[in-house]
Amino acid sequence: GGARGGGGRASDIGCDARGERAGVGNALETLVVHQAAAPDLLPGSADALTDSGVELRGCARTRELLGESVVPASEADWETEYLDAVISVKQVDGVDSAIDHINRFGSHHTDAIITRNQATAERFLARVDSAIVLHNASTQFADGGEFEIEILGDYRPAKIIRQPLFDPQGEHVRR
């Protein structure tokens, strides 16, 4: 488990995904937050993360909300896999902006959405171009141990292969 924040379930899951094991590939690197939810979610989450020793790097809106303790994020921060106690925070106007940001800058490994809105979740799950896309779950669930298969009584890791989608005519389909 990780730190717990004041923004309810989303804060708890986000803090868990950054977690105590910052150097693993499934740790949360960038927190993308709808601007309408940011005032309720980010202050408690930021406090929990910084209390755990995590450095926050944020967009202008995030810095405006949380203050100068948040380091200004650069373009490179959005695509950096820190493997350290650092997280970038980006506020967006809606799910389509979040999807665009993730598809442009993300690692295409594991991404998650925390929402009660089923239509928003389904849109995210269908359009994010990652090997693993989760709804209301921590990216910590994408631990290598979760993808093991038994071969002749011995457990071996299964490979996750990210394949592009093709339509029946063989044309590449973007999600």
XYZ file of all heavy atoms in Angstrom, residues 44-155:
850
model
N -5.373 17.079 -1.057
C -5.153 15.939 -0.157
C -4.169 14.938 -0.731
O -3.314 14.406 -0.016
N -4.274 14.679 -2.033
C -3.341 13.758 -2.685
C -1.921 14.302 -2.639
O -0.972 13.564 -2.353
C -3.745 13.528 -4.147
O -4.999 12.914 -4.236
N -1.780 15.590 -2.926
C -0.453 16.215 -2.908
C 0.159 16.152 -1.515
O 1.349 15.840 -1.371
C -0.552 17.661 -3.389
N -0.649 16.430 -0.490
C -0.138 16.348 0.884
C 0.329 14.933 1.209
O 1.409 14.741 1.780
C -1.212 16.776 1.885
C -1.487 18.274 1.872
O -0.683 19.031 1.286
O -2.532 18.673 2.435
N -0.472 13.934 0.844
C -0.109 12.547 1.138
C 1.163 12.146 0.396
O 2.039 11.491 0.963
C -1.261 11.612 0.771
N 1.262 12.549 -0.854
C 2.452 12.201 -1.642
C 3.695 12.908 -1.118
O 4.740 12.276 -0.935
C 2.218 12.529 -3.120
C 1.243 11.598 -3.834
C 0.775 12.210 -5.150
C 1.858 10.226 -4.073
N 3.604 14.210 -0.853
C 4.784 14.930 -0.363
C 5.169 14.468 1.042
O 6.354 14.391 1.356
C 4.595 16.463 -0.411
O 3.424 16.820 0.315
C 4.486 16.958 -1.837
N 4.174 14.111 1.877
C 4.480 13.559 3.200
C 5.236 12.237 3.086
O 5.973 11.855 3.991
C 3.203 13.337 4.022
C 2.573 14.632 4.500
O 3.212 15.706 4.350
O 1.425 14.579 5.006
N 5.043 11.539 1.959
C 5.747 10.274 1.706
C 7.075 10.498 0.996
O 7.737 9.534 0.606
C 4.877 9.346 0.852
O 3.709 9.008 1.542
N 7.440 11.771 0.786
C 8.722 12.077 0.168
C 8.703 12.128 -1.349
O 9.760 12.095 -1.988
N 7.523 12.222 -1.955
C 7.412 12.279 -3.406
C 7.461 13.738 -3.865
O 6.757 14.586 -3.325
C 6.097 11.610 -3.883
C 5.927 11.755 -5.392
C 6.055 10.144 -3.468
N 8.285 14.014 -4.868
C 8.357 15.344 -5.476
C 7.263 15.454 -6.524
O 7.087 14.556 -7.350
C 9.717 15.550 -6.147
C 9.829 16.867 -6.893
C 11.138 16.979 -7.656
O 12.206 16.850 -7.017
O 11.082 17.196 -8.877
N 6.530 16.566 -6.517
C 5.482 16.811 -7.510
C 5.973 17.807 -8.541
O 6.544 18.845 -8.194
C 4.222 17.372 -6.843
C 3.256 16.360 -6.245
C 3.845 15.668 -5.053
C 1.965 17.040 -5.888
N 5.736 17.465 -9.823
C 6.017 18.372 -10.935
C 4.694 18.592 -11.644
O 4.030 17.631 -12.030
C 7.045 17.777 -11.880
C 8.378 17.542 -11.194
C 9.401 16.973 -12.123
N 10.611 16.640 -11.374
C 11.674 16.084 -11.907
N 11.696 15.800 -13.200
N 12.719 15.816 -11.161
N 4.277 19.844 -11.793
C 2.942 20.087 -12.305
C 2.852 21.108 -13.407
O 3.739 21.952 -13.573
N 1.728 21.047 -14.128
C 1.404 22.034 -15.151
C 1.064 23.356 -14.454
O 0.956 23.425 -13.222
C 0.222 21.545 -15.992
S -1.335 21.398 -15.073
N 0.872 24.402 -15.236
C 0.587 25.722 -14.674
C -0.660 25.713 -13.800
O -0.675 26.314 -12.712
C 0.445 26.747 -15.801
N -1.732 25.019 -14.238
C -2.973 24.974 -13.440
C -2.746 24.264 -12.108
O -3.300 24.662 -11.086
C -4.092 24.284 -14.217
C -4.646 25.129 -15.339
C -5.919 24.531 -15.878
N -5.637 23.606 -16.954
C -6.533 23.105 -17.782
N -7.813 23.427 -17.654
N -6.204 22.288 -18.736
N -1.942 23.219 -12.131
C -1.654 22.477 -10.898
C -0.839 23.340 -9.937
O -1.124 23.385 -8.736
C -0.912 21.174 -11.223
O -1.751 20.372 -12.058
C -0.552 20.406 -9.969
N 0.134 24.042 -10.462
C 0.950 24.924 -9.617
C 0.116 26.067 -9.055
O 0.301 26.481 -7.913
C 2.151 25.463 -10.392
C 3.124 24.344 -10.760
C 4.418 24.844 -11.362
N 5.230 25.390 -10.274
C 5.660 26.652 -10.236
N 5.379 27.494 -11.191
N 6.390 27.061 -9.219
N -0.822 26.573 -9.851
C -1.709 27.637 -9.392
C -2.565 27.153 -8.224
O -2.784 27.876 -7.247
C -2.600 28.090 -10.551
C -3.445 29.301 -10.248
C -4.232 29.739 -11.475
O -3.636 29.845 -12.562
O -5.455 29.961 -11.334
N -3.018 25.923 -8.296
C -3.858 25.334 -7.248
C -3.054 24.967 -6.007
O -3.480 25.224 -4.882
C -4.580 24.094 -7.782
C -5.438 23.313 -6.784
C -6.625 24.149 -6.315
C -5.917 22.010 -7.416
N -1.879 24.359 -6.197
C -1.128 23.788 -5.073
C 0.012 24.660 -4.566
O 0.549 24.402 -3.492
C -0.581 22.411 -5.457
C -1.631 21.363 -5.804
C -0.962 20.062 -6.232
C -2.588 21.132 -4.633
N 0.419 25.647 -5.346
C 1.465 26.538 -4.873
C 2.847 26.176 -5.377
O 3.045 25.243 -6.162
N 3.805 26.921 -4.876
C 5.176 26.825 -5.374
C 5.928 25.594 -4.887
O 7.060 25.369 -5.313
C 5.932 28.104 -5.037
C 5.358 29.297 -5.784
C 6.229 30.525 -5.686
O 7.427 30.397 -5.362
O 5.701 31.615 -5.942
N 5.329 24.798 -4.032
C 5.988 23.555 -3.632
C 6.008 22.552 -4.784
O 6.772 21.598 -4.772
C 5.296 22.939 -2.411
O 3.970 22.566 -2.753
N 5.169 22.808 -5.803
C 5.136 21.960 -6.990
C 6.129 22.523 -7.999
O 6.058 23.693 -8.374
C 3.716 21.903 -7.601
C 3.703 21.066 -8.869
C 2.725 21.362 -6.582
N 7.052 21.679 -8.430
C 8.061 22.071 -9.414
C 7.379 22.211 -10.780
O 6.538 21.377 -11.133
C 9.176 20.992 -9.478
C 10.190 21.302 -10.562
C 9.844 20.842 -8.115
N 7.718 23.250 -11.559
C 7.117 23.366 -12.893
C 7.494 22.157 -13.749
O 8.662 21.781 -13.838
C 7.742 24.645 -13.468
C 8.299 25.383 -12.310
C 8.624 24.363 -11.261
N 6.494 21.555 -14.378
C 6.742 20.409 -15.256
C 7.205 20.905 -16.617
O 6.694 21.890 -17.134
C 5.471 19.580 -15.412
N 8.158 20.195 -17.174
C 8.618 20.481 -18.532
C 7.948 19.491 -19.484
O 7.341 18.504 -19.047
C 10.141 20.331 -18.620
O 10.493 18.961 -18.480
N 8.065 19.716 -20.767
C 7.526 18.787 -21.769
C 8.086 17.384 -21.549
O 7.376 16.387 -21.690
C 7.868 19.301 -23.173
C 7.251 18.530 -24.293
C 5.864 19.014 -24.685
O 5.321 19.934 -24.068
O 5.326 18.434 -25.634
N 9.349 17.288 -21.179
C 9.986 15.985 -20.963
C 9.377 15.233 -19.771
O 9.370 13.998 -19.759
C 11.486 16.155 -20.753
N 8.855 15.956 -18.784
C 8.264 15.292 -17.617
C 7.075 14.423 -17.993
O 6.828 13.401 -17.366
C 7.830 16.318 -16.565
C 8.998 16.848 -15.771
O 9.799 16.041 -15.275
O 9.111 18.085 -15.656
N 6.326 14.826 -19.014
C 5.117 14.075 -19.365
C 5.435 12.690 -19.916
O 4.609 11.800 -19.873
C 4.265 14.854 -20.368
C 3.904 16.228 -19.911
C 4.032 17.376 -20.634
C 3.344 16.623 -18.647
N 3.596 18.456 -19.890
C 3.173 18.020 -18.663
C 2.995 15.930 -17.486
C 2.645 18.737 -17.585
C 2.480 16.638 -16.408
C 2.318 18.017 -16.463
N 6.637 12.495 -20.432
C 6.976 11.194 -21.000
C 8.079 10.468 -20.229
O 8.571 9.440 -20.673
C 7.372 11.343 -22.471
C 8.548 12.250 -22.703
C 8.739 12.596 -24.177
O 7.944 12.123 -25.017
O 9.677 13.335 -24.477
N 8.427 10.978 -19.061
C 9.518 10.404 -18.276
C 9.017 9.312 -17.345
O 8.041 9.495 -16.619
C 10.227 11.498 -17.455
O 10.781 12.454 -18.355
C 11.322 10.918 -16.579
N 9.704 8.173 -17.387
C 9.484 7.115 -16.404
C 10.553 7.328 -15.339
O 11.700 6.947 -15.504
C 9.613 5.734 -17.056
C 9.234 4.621 -16.124
C 9.172 3.271 -16.813
O 9.536 3.174 -17.997
O 8.760 2.310 -16.154
N 10.179 7.970 -14.259
C 11.147 8.424 -13.267
C 11.857 7.290 -12.541
O 13.031 7.390 -12.227
C 10.473 9.321 -12.223
C 9.840 10.562 -12.794
C 8.461 10.690 -12.855
C 10.612 11.608 -13.266
C 7.871 11.827 -13.382
C 10.038 12.749 -13.792
C 8.665 12.850 -13.846
O 8.083 13.973 -14.367
N 11.128 6.237 -12.196
C 11.675 5.156 -11.376
C 12.273 5.722 -10.092
O 13.289 5.255 -9.597
C 12.695 4.325 -12.154
C 12.164 3.658 -13.423
C 13.286 2.958 -14.174
C 11.029 2.690 -13.121
N 11.620 6.753 -9.579
C 12.073 7.457 -8.393
C 10.850 8.095 -7.736
O 9.750 8.032 -8.268
C 13.093 8.527 -8.803
C 13.966 8.982 -7.637
O 13.728 8.553 -6.489
O 14.897 9.776 -7.878
N 11.039 8.744 -6.620
C 9.940 9.353 -5.878
C 9.587 10.715 -6.480
O 9.735 11.764 -5.857
C 10.315 9.490 -4.403
N 9.119 10.689 -7.735
C 8.726 11.885 -8.474
C 7.459 11.537 -9.243
O 7.328 10.430 -9.765
C 9.822 12.306 -9.487
C 9.386 13.533 -10.284
C 11.144 12.563 -8.788
N 6.529 12.484 -9.317
C 5.319 12.301 -10.104
C 4.968 13.622 -10.776
O 5.159 14.685 -10.194
C 4.141 11.800 -9.228
C 2.932 11.448 -10.084
C 3.786 12.800 -8.163
C 1.817 10.754 -9.306
N 4.511 13.545 -12.016
C 4.039 14.745 -12.698
C 2.517 14.778 -12.630
O 1.873 13.732 -12.600
C 4.536 14.783 -14.148
O 4.163 13.624 -14.848
N 1.967 15.987 -12.568
C 0.518 16.167 -12.423
C 0.033 17.118 -13.509
O 0.518 18.247 -13.615
C 0.154 16.729 -11.023
C -1.357 16.842 -10.871
C 0.750 15.859 -9.925
N -0.924 16.644 -14.309
C -1.465 17.416 -15.423
C -2.967 17.532 -15.275
O -3.667 16.531 -15.103
C -1.126 16.692 -16.733
C -1.769 17.240 -17.977
C -1.064 18.472 -18.450
C -1.618 18.901 -19.825
N -1.053 20.156 -20.224
N -3.492 18.758 -15.338
C -4.939 18.966 -15.356
C -5.405 19.074 -16.801
O -4.732 19.684 -17.631
C -5.313 20.238 -14.592
C -5.114 20.110 -13.093
C -5.631 21.321 -12.369
O -6.761 21.750 -12.601
N -4.816 21.875 -11.483
N -6.558 18.456 -17.089
C -7.121 18.460 -18.433
C -8.580 18.884 -18.387
O -9.209 18.871 -17.336
C -6.988 17.072 -19.106
C -5.526 16.720 -19.345
C -7.683 16.000 -18.273
N -9.118 19.216 -19.566
C -10.495 19.690 -19.673
C -11.525 18.570 -19.701
O -12.712 18.835 -19.494
C -10.649 20.556 -20.920
C -9.749 21.788 -20.873
O -9.534 22.332 -19.778
O -9.268 22.192 -21.941
N -11.120 17.347 -19.996
C -12.071 16.243 -20.075
C -11.386 14.960 -20.469
O -10.163 14.908 -20.648
N -12.186 13.911 -20.617
C -11.629 12.588 -20.898
C -10.905 12.549 -22.236
O -9.872 11.885 -22.362
C -12.699 11.473 -20.783
C -13.730 11.562 -21.903
C -12.042 10.103 -20.755
N -11.394 13.247 -23.242
C -10.711 13.231 -24.537
C -9.334 13.871 -24.445
O -8.369 13.371 -25.044
C -11.563 13.904 -25.615
C -12.778 13.065 -25.992
O -12.693 11.821 -25.945
O -13.824 13.652 -26.320
N -9.220 14.948 -23.682
C -7.907 15.573 -23.459
C -6.983 14.622 -22.698
O -5.784 14.554 -22.993
C -8.052 16.877 -22.681
O -8.816 17.808 -23.400
N -7.523 13.912 -21.726
C -6.727 12.939 -20.970
C -6.238 11.825 -21.884
O -5.058 11.445 -21.846
C -7.548 12.363 -19.819
N -7.131 11.298 -22.713
C -6.767 10.223 -23.642
C -5.680 10.695 -24.600
O -4.683 9.987 -24.837
C -8.018 9.728 -24.396
C -8.963 9.003 -23.426
C -7.625 8.828 -25.573
C -10.364 8.779 -23.986
N -5.846 11.886 -25.162
C -4.845 12.428 -26.083
C -3.487 12.568 -25.398
O -2.450 12.218 -25.971
C -5.295 13.787 -26.632
C -6.479 13.677 -27.583
O -6.789 12.553 -28.056
O -7.119 14.725 -27.838
N -3.493 13.080 -24.163
C -2.239 13.257 -23.410
C -1.568 11.904 -23.166
O -0.365 11.746 -23.394
C -2.522 13.973 -22.084
C -1.299 14.236 -21.283
N -0.501 15.335 -21.503
C -0.731 13.542 -20.280
C 0.516 15.302 -20.651
N 0.391 14.229 -19.896
N -2.337 10.929 -22.717
C -1.790 9.596 -22.421
C -1.258 8.938 -23.691
O -0.161 8.366 -23.693
C -2.864 8.728 -21.735
C -3.140 9.265 -20.324
C -2.440 7.262 -21.695
C -4.408 8.734 -19.695
N -2.029 8.994 -24.771
C -1.581 8.361 -26.014
C -0.345 9.038 -26.603
O 0.467 8.384 -27.245
C -2.713 8.313 -27.034
C -3.753 7.271 -26.687
O -3.522 6.358 -25.900
N -4.924 7.403 -27.274
N -0.196 10.331 -26.357
C 0.976 11.048 -26.877
C 2.220 10.825 -26.015
O 3.306 10.600 -26.533
C 0.675 12.545 -26.956
C 1.861 13.341 -27.434
C 1.555 14.789 -27.642
N 2.777 15.491 -28.045
C 2.951 16.772 -27.906
N 1.988 17.536 -27.421
N 4.081 17.331 -28.273
N 2.050 10.898 -24.696
C 3.222 10.897 -23.821
C 3.426 9.613 -23.019
O 4.500 9.410 -22.460
C 3.130 12.069 -22.825
C 3.194 13.415 -23.459
C 2.062 14.212 -23.533
C 4.375 13.899 -23.994
C 2.116 15.471 -24.112
C 4.437 15.153 -24.571
C 3.298 15.940 -24.635
N 2.421 8.777 -22.905
C 2.504 7.610 -22.035
C 3.435 6.523 -22.544
O 3.882 6.537 -23.696
N 3.701 5.568 -21.671
C 4.597 4.450 -22.007
C 3.888 3.349 -22.785
O 4.527 2.448 -23.299
C 5.168 3.842 -20.723
O 4.125 3.220 -19.985
N 2.559 3.411 -22.851
C 1.740 2.388 -23.512
C 1.822 1.046 -22.784
O 1.564 0.016 -23.384
C 2.102 2.243 -24.997
C 1.991 3.534 -25.738
N 0.773 4.089 -26.084
C 2.940 4.404 -26.167
C 0.986 5.239 -26.710
N 2.283 5.454 -26.755
N 2.172 1.087 -21.505
C 2.238 -0.130 -20.694
C 0.946 -0.300 -19.906
O 0.146 -1.179 -20.194
C 3.450 -0.074 -19.761
C 3.638 -1.330 -18.966
N 2.882 -1.617 -17.845
C 4.486 -2.370 -19.127
C 3.261 -2.788 -17.355
N 4.227 -3.266 -18.112
N 0.738 0.544 -18.895
C -0.430 0.422 -18.024
C -0.998 1.808 -17.743
O -0.255 2.715 -17.372
C -0.041 -0.226 -16.678
O 0.612 -1.469 -16.940
C -1.268 -0.466 -15.816
N -2.311 1.943 -17.933
C -2.994 3.192 -17.621
C -4.311 2.875 -16.942
O -4.894 1.821 -17.177
C -3.216 4.019 -18.901
C -1.907 4.566 -19.418
O -1.375 5.489 -18.774
O -1.405 4.065 -20.444
N -4.761 3.786 -16.087
C -5.984 3.562 -15.318
C -6.815 4.832 -15.269
O -6.277 5.941 -15.296
C -5.645 3.122 -13.889
N -8.122 4.638 -15.177
C -9.050 5.750 -14.961
C -9.828 5.457 -13.683
O -10.238 4.319 -13.443
C -10.013 5.965 -16.151
C -10.880 7.219 -15.901
C -10.846 4.729 -16.437
C -11.665 7.670 -17.126
N -10.015 6.495 -12.880
C -10.810 6.393 -11.670
C -12.023 7.293 -11.880
O -11.890 8.513 -11.932
C -10.024 6.843 -10.414
C -8.638 6.196 -10.371
C -10.836 6.564 -9.151
C -8.618 4.687 -10.448
N -13.190 6.680 -12.041
C -14.416 7.445 -12.273
C -15.626 6.585 -11.935
O -15.577 5.363 -12.034
C -14.515 7.931 -13.739
O -15.697 8.722 -13.880
C -14.562 6.780 -14.727
N -16.710 7.255 -11.540
C -17.989 6.572 -11.333
C -18.834 6.598 -12.607
O -19.840 5.923 -12.696
C -18.767 7.244 -10.200
C -18.136 7.029 -8.848
C -19.042 7.586 -7.743
N -18.405 7.445 -6.465
C -17.894 8.442 -5.760
N -17.977 9.670 -6.198
N -17.326 8.219 -4.601
N -18.422 7.392 -13.590
C -19.172 7.548 -14.828
C -18.815 6.413 -15.792
O -17.709 6.379 -16.349
C -18.857 8.905 -15.449
C -19.678 9.199 -16.673
O -19.784 8.370 -17.572
N -20.242 10.392 -16.707
N -19.741 5.484 -15.987
C -19.475 4.302 -16.801
C -19.187 4.653 -18.258
O -18.308 4.060 -18.879
C -20.651 3.314 -16.707
C -20.354 1.959 -17.298
C -19.223 1.220 -16.596
O -19.038 1.326 -15.375
N -18.434 0.484 -17.347
N -19.908 5.614 -18.822
C -19.678 6.004 -20.217
C -18.273 6.582 -20.398
O -17.594 6.281 -21.383
C -20.738 6.998 -20.678
N -17.831 7.393 -19.445
C -16.484 7.955 -19.495
C -15.451 6.844 -19.394
O -14.465 6.824 -20.141
C -16.293 8.984 -18.367
O -17.227 10.051 -18.557
C -14.883 9.533 -18.337
N -15.679 5.906 -18.483
C -14.752 4.783 -18.326
C -14.662 3.958 -19.603
O -13.567 3.590 -20.050
C -15.177 3.904 -17.155
N -15.811 3.666 -20.208
C -15.816 2.868 -21.435
C -15.087 3.576 -22.573
O -14.356 2.942 -23.343
C -17.252 2.516 -21.817
C -17.858 1.489 -20.885
C -19.342 1.237 -21.111
O -19.889 1.698 -22.137
O -19.946 0.561 -20.247
N -15.253 4.887 -22.664
C -14.543 5.661 -23.691
C -13.036 5.570 -23.464
O -12.259 5.361 -24.391
C -15.018 7.110 -23.663
C -14.426 7.979 -24.746
C -15.171 9.317 -24.811
N -14.703 10.129 -25.888
C -15.057 10.011 -27.151
N -15.912 9.073 -27.503
N -14.579 10.821 -28.074
N -12.610 5.741 -22.228
C -11.193 5.661 -21.870
C -10.647 4.270 -22.181
O -9.591 4.126 -22.813
C -11.042 5.988 -20.379
C -9.627 6.024 -19.877
C -8.910 7.211 -19.901
C -9.026 4.897 -19.346
C -7.609 7.258 -19.417
C -7.727 4.936 -18.867
C -7.026 6.118 -18.899
N -11.353 3.236 -21.743
C -10.895 1.860 -21.951
C -10.766 1.530 -23.434
O -9.854 0.801 -23.841
C -11.852 0.874 -21.278
C -11.913 0.942 -19.747
C -13.039 0.076 -19.220
C -10.591 0.557 -19.113
N -11.652 2.067 -24.253
C -11.634 1.782 -25.686
C -10.576 2.575 -26.442
O -10.059 2.099 -27.456
C -13.008 2.067 -26.286
N -10.223 3.764 -25.952
C -9.370 4.647 -26.749
C -7.934 4.794 -26.266
O -7.079 5.244 -27.026
C -10.016 6.039 -26.829
C -11.334 5.976 -27.638
C -11.848 7.314 -28.073
N -10.830 8.075 -28.785
C -10.615 9.378 -28.577
N -11.318 10.039 -27.692
N -9.698 10.014 -29.262
N -7.635 4.415 -25.023
C -6.248 4.512 -24.563
C -5.451 3.367 -25.175
O -5.838 2.204 -25.095
C -6.168 4.511 -23.020
C -4.736 4.306 -22.548
C -6.707 5.822 -22.471
N -4.347 3.721 -25.798
C -3.521 2.770 -26.543
C -2.408 2.227 -25.646
O -1.251 2.611 -25.759
C -2.942 3.488 -27.767
C -2.216 2.546 -28.707
O -2.424 1.327 -28.614
O -1.434 3.047 -29.540
N -2.786 1.330 -24.733
C -1.831 0.730 -23.805
C -2.093 -0.764 -23.705
O -3.197 -1.231 -23.983
C -1.945 1.363 -22.412
O -1.513 2.700 -22.448
N -1.073 -1.495 -23.287
C -1.213 -2.946 -23.154
C -2.228 -3.310 -22.076
O -2.967 -4.271 -22.222
C 0.143 -3.575 -22.832
N -2.276 -2.529 -20.999
C -3.188 -2.779 -19.890
C -3.912 -1.481 -19.567
O -3.267 -0.460 -19.321
C -2.436 -3.270 -18.634
C -1.595 -4.500 -18.959
C -3.415 -3.554 -17.491
C -0.552 -4.808 -17.912
N -5.238 -1.512 -19.583
C -6.027 -0.331 -19.260
C -7.034 -0.747 -18.188
O -7.785 -1.700 -18.378
C -6.744 0.245 -20.504
C -7.445 1.553 -20.152
C -5.762 0.479 -21.644
N -7.018 -0.040 -17.057
C -7.799 -0.413 -15.883
C -8.852 0.636 -15.551
O -8.650 1.823 -15.806
C -6.863 -0.571 -14.676
C -5.703 -1.545 -14.849
C -4.671 -1.336 -13.755
C -6.214 -2.972 -14.850
N -9.945 0.189 -14.927
C -10.991 1.086 -14.444
C -11.114 0.888 -12.939
O -11.327 -0.236 -12.468
C -12.315 0.772 -15.153
C -13.476 1.578 -14.660
N -14.756 1.117 -14.704
C -13.554 2.820 -14.119
C -15.583 2.021 -14.219
N -14.860 3.068 -13.851
N -10.993 1.963 -12.190
C -11.112 1.964 -10.734
C -10.186 0.954 -10.059
O -10.577 0.254 -9.127
C -12.566 1.738 -10.302
C -13.433 2.943 -10.578
O -12.939 4.042 -10.820
N -14.733 2.747 -10.559
N -8.959 0.903 -10.531
C -7.955 0.018 -9.937
C -6.588 0.683 -10.040
O -6.322 1.457 -10.955
C -7.941 -1.321 -10.667
N -5.728 0.357 -9.116
C -4.372 0.875 -9.102
C -3.537 0.220 -10.198
O -3.691 -0.966 -10.485
C -3.736 0.586 -7.736
O -2.350 0.840 -7.766
N -2.612 0.979 -10.765
C -1.685 0.395 -11.732
C -0.776 -0.637 -11.075
O -0.130 -1.416 -11.770
C -0.827 1.486 -12.416
O -0.132 2.223 -11.407
C -1.686 2.416 -13.252
N -0.753 -0.685 -9.758
C 0.020 -1.712 -9.055
C -0.502 -3.121 -9.365
O 0.205 -4.099 -9.200
C 0.006 -1.464 -7.541
C 0.770 -0.229 -7.122
C 2.256 -0.368 -7.291
O 2.837 -1.405 -6.994
N 2.893 0.673 -7.781
N -1.760 -3.221 -9.839
C -2.294 -4.525 -10.222
C -1.601 -5.072 -11.461
O -1.775 -6.238 -11.797
C -3.804 -4.457 -10.455
C -4.588 -4.413 -9.182
C -5.276 -3.263 -8.833
C -4.625 -5.497 -8.329
C -5.991 -3.209 -7.647
C -5.337 -5.448 -7.148
C -6.022 -4.297 -6.806
N -0.836 -4.254 -12.162
C -0.119 -4.704 -13.349
C 1.269 -5.223 -12.984
O 2.188 -5.179 -13.777
C -0.021 -3.572 -14.363
N 1.414 -5.720 -11.784
C 2.652 -6.323 -11.327
C 2.923 -7.579 -12.148
O 2.012 -8.306 -12.507
C 2.509 -6.688 -9.837
C 3.810 -7.127 -9.216
O 4.537 -7.907 -9.838
O 4.087 -6.689 -8.091
N 4.169 -7.840 -12.444
C 4.528 -9.015 -13.240
C 3.962 -10.307 -12.681
O 3.621 -11.228 -13.421
N 3.819 -10.397 -11.362
C 3.287 -11.606 -10.748
C 1.841 -11.865 -11.104
O 1.363 -12.999 -11.013
N 1.123 -10.826 -11.510
C -0.278 -10.998 -11.899
C -0.412 -11.690 -13.247
O -1.468 -12.155 -13.612
C -0.983 -9.635 -11.961
C -0.990 -8.891 -10.651
C -1.779 -9.596 -9.570
O -2.805 -10.211 -9.893
O -1.358 -9.531 -8.410
N 0.677 -11.740 -14.031
C 0.624 -12.283 -15.384
C 1.499 -13.514 -15.528
O 2.244 -13.644 -16.478
C 1.040 -11.206 -16.390
C 0.142 -10.014 -16.345
C 0.561 -8.840 -15.765
C -1.144 -10.071 -16.851
C -0.274 -7.743 -15.703
C -1.997 -8.978 -16.789
C -1.556 -7.819 -16.217
N 1.409 -14.410 -14.577
C 2.168 -15.641 -14.652
C 1.257 -16.782 -15.081
O 0.072 -16.796 -14.756
C 2.807 -15.975 -13.305
C 3.892 -15.010 -12.929
C 4.584 -15.390 -11.629
O 4.013 -16.151 -10.838
O 5.686 -14.911 -11.419
N 1.818 -17.703 -15.801
C 1.071 -18.884 -16.208
C 1.814 -20.122 -15.738
O 3.037 -20.117 -15.582
C 0.864 -18.923 -17.738
C 2.200 -18.838 -18.473
C -0.058 -17.810 -18.196
C 2.079 -19.019 -19.975
N 1.069 -21.187 -15.495
C 1.678 -22.426 -15.038
C 2.070 -23.269 -16.241
O 1.271 -23.560 -17.122
C 0.713 -23.209 -14.152
C 1.346 -24.444 -13.569
C 0.434 -25.171 -12.597
O -0.709 -24.725 -12.386
O 0.878 -26.188 -12.067
N 3.349 -23.657 -16.296
C 3.861 -24.543 -17.339
C 4.493 -25.727 -16.649
O 5.510 -25.603 -15.969
C 4.905 -23.822 -18.228
C 4.283 -22.581 -18.868
C 5.465 -24.782 -19.271
C 5.264 -21.715 -19.613
N 3.835 -26.887 -16.794
C 4.326 -28.130 -16.190
C 4.642 -27.965 -14.706
O 5.691 -28.363 -14.224
C 5.545 -28.649 -16.956
C 5.323 -28.944 -18.433
C 6.640 -29.320 -19.101
C 4.311 -30.062 -18.610
N 3.739 -27.343 -13.988
C 3.881 -27.200 -12.544
C 4.787 -26.071 -12.109
O 4.990 -25.854 -10.927
N 5.362 -25.339 -13.054
C 6.254 -24.226 -12.742
C 5.610 -22.943 -13.245
O 5.090 -22.899 -14.358
C 7.605 -24.448 -13.427
C 8.652 -23.434 -12.983
O 8.485 -22.823 -11.914
O 9.635 -23.258 -13.724
N 5.649 -21.899 -12.439
C 5.040 -20.632 -12.847
C 6.060 -19.796 -13.599
O 7.172 -19.583 -13.140
C 4.501 -19.870 -11.629
C 3.234 -20.483 -11.118
C 3.260 -21.451 -10.127
C 2.009 -20.137 -11.673
C 2.090 -22.043 -9.681
C 0.846 -20.722 -11.236
C 0.888 -21.673 -10.237
O -0.271 -22.253 -9.808
